[in-house]
Amino acid sequence: MIIVDLLVAVTVVGLIGAFASVRIVKQFERGVVFRFGRVQRTPRAPGLTFIVPVIDRLQKVNLQIITLPVPAQDGITRDNVTVRVDAVVYYRVIDPFRVAVDVQDYGSAILQVAQASLRSIIGKSDLDDLLSNREGLNQGLELMIDSPAAEWGVHIDRVEIKDVALPETMKRSMSRQAEAERERRSRVITAEGELQASQKLAEAAEVMAEHPAALQLRLLQTVVEVAAEKNSTLVVPFPVELLRFLERSTPSDTAEAATKNGERGGAADAELVAR
């Protein structure tokens, strides 16, 4: 009976030890084993792995891309404008051994470096760069964060500046500046249009000076355009030059009319003399 109890006890202890020695490492993880406090150089691959209870300690390291929001940082730009900028950092672990040994908390370390780098990039940039040159600033910020992170076994995949908050006074100033710029462009465009119109009018005046009939035709065209609006009375002066133009254009009819008028006048004079 005592032997049976001993066998049962040994079996139970063996099962407990077996369960205590079994670990499961997920596909996106790597296992770093510490044996008596000394790290094993080869990390454990994904799947089922075994460790020695009490002697070994398994630390799992996540290799997925981690999204790290960087809290908004207040700073003064190079052109003395107070802004508030926040960003987001995407990073992943590339060396589980160095992450487990060289740095205590790599997530907190990356966050602190990101905050310091963001404040530094704000002080080195102008306001226009923060608003329009985001790609260049993102690349510079990525290099600043990746330099110390590479020594910890972490790779910075991407850094993005999310938002740039400006004071209300600066927003109003920028709005007035943009409005003044649009007004300036409008005046320049209007002046250019007046210049082109004056050049065309000068050319038209030269053509009309060479051909007086063109002026009369233009007058008639203007009358037609105005007459299309039937809500007003139109008084049109009849120029003498038009009569002369019509007289020159019909010389035969005019001559016959003058001859007939002459004959009628002569007959009337003869009749008056006879009486």
Side-chain angles (χ1 to χ4, degrees), residues 73-77 81-85 122 127 130 164-167:
Q73 302 296 312
D74 294 325
I76 300 177
T77 61
V81 178
T82 303
V83 295
R84 187 177 179 87
V85 183
I122 291 173
L127 179 61
L130 288 175
V164 179
L166 299 175

Side-chain angles (χ1 to χ4, degrees), residues 15-185:
L15 292 175
I16 294 175
F19 281 113
S21 63
V22 174
R23 295 290 186 274
I24 296 177
V25 180
K26 297 181 180 179
Q27 181 65 38
F28 54 85
E29 294 177 338
R30 296 295 183 270
V32 179
V33 178
F34 291 87
R35 180 166 296 170
F36 292 112
R38 296 178 62 88
V39 66
Q40 303 298 307
R41 297 294 302 182
T42 304
R44 299 297 176 89
L48 190 65
T49 185
F50 296 92
I51 63 174
V52 180
V54 181
I55 298 176
D56 293 343
R57 183 176 64 87
L58 180 67
Q59 179 179 345
K60 298 179 182 179
V61 179
N62 193 337
L63 301 185
Q64 290 178 310
I65 295 178
I66 300 175
T67 303
L68 178 65
V70 181
Q73 302 296 312
D74 294 325
I76 300 177
T77 61
R78 190 166 56 182
D79 49 354
N80 298 325
V81 178
T82 303
V83 295
R84 187 177 179 87
V85 183
D86 58 351
V88 59
V89 179
Y90 301 90
Y91 69 92
R92 58 188 175 89
V93 175
I94 58 176
D95 191 345
F97 174 80
R98 300 177 67 179
V99 164
V101 176
D102 294 347
V103 60
Q104 181 179 6
D105 186 356
Y106 66 91
S108 177
I110 295 296
L111 178 60
Q112 296 301 320
V113 172
Q115 292 179 356
S117 300
L118 183 58
R119 287 193 295 268
S120 178
I121 207 72
I122 291 173
K124 295 179 181 179
S125 305
D126 295 330
L127 179 61
D128 293 338
D129 293 336
L130 288 175
L131 297 177
S132 60
N133 190 21
R134 294 285 184 88
E135 292 296 330
L137 295 180
N138 291 338
Q139 294 177 1
L141 191 57
E142 180 179 346
L143 291 175
M144 295 177 65
I145 301 174
D146 190 61
S147 179
E151 301 178 358
W152 303 332
V154 178
H155 174 68
I156 305 299
D157 281 352
R158 189 177 183 85
V159 180
E160 291 285 347
I161 295 177
K162 295 172 58 178
D163 187 26
V164 179
L166 299 175
E168 292 297 329
T169 55
M170 179 56 63
K171 291 181 180 180
R172 289 193 292 267
S173 299
M174 294 177 65
S175 176
R176 290 194 298 268
Q177 179 184 0
E179 185 177 356
E181 179 66 19
R182 288 193 295 268
E183 183 67 22
R184 183 188 67 83
R185 294 180 182 178

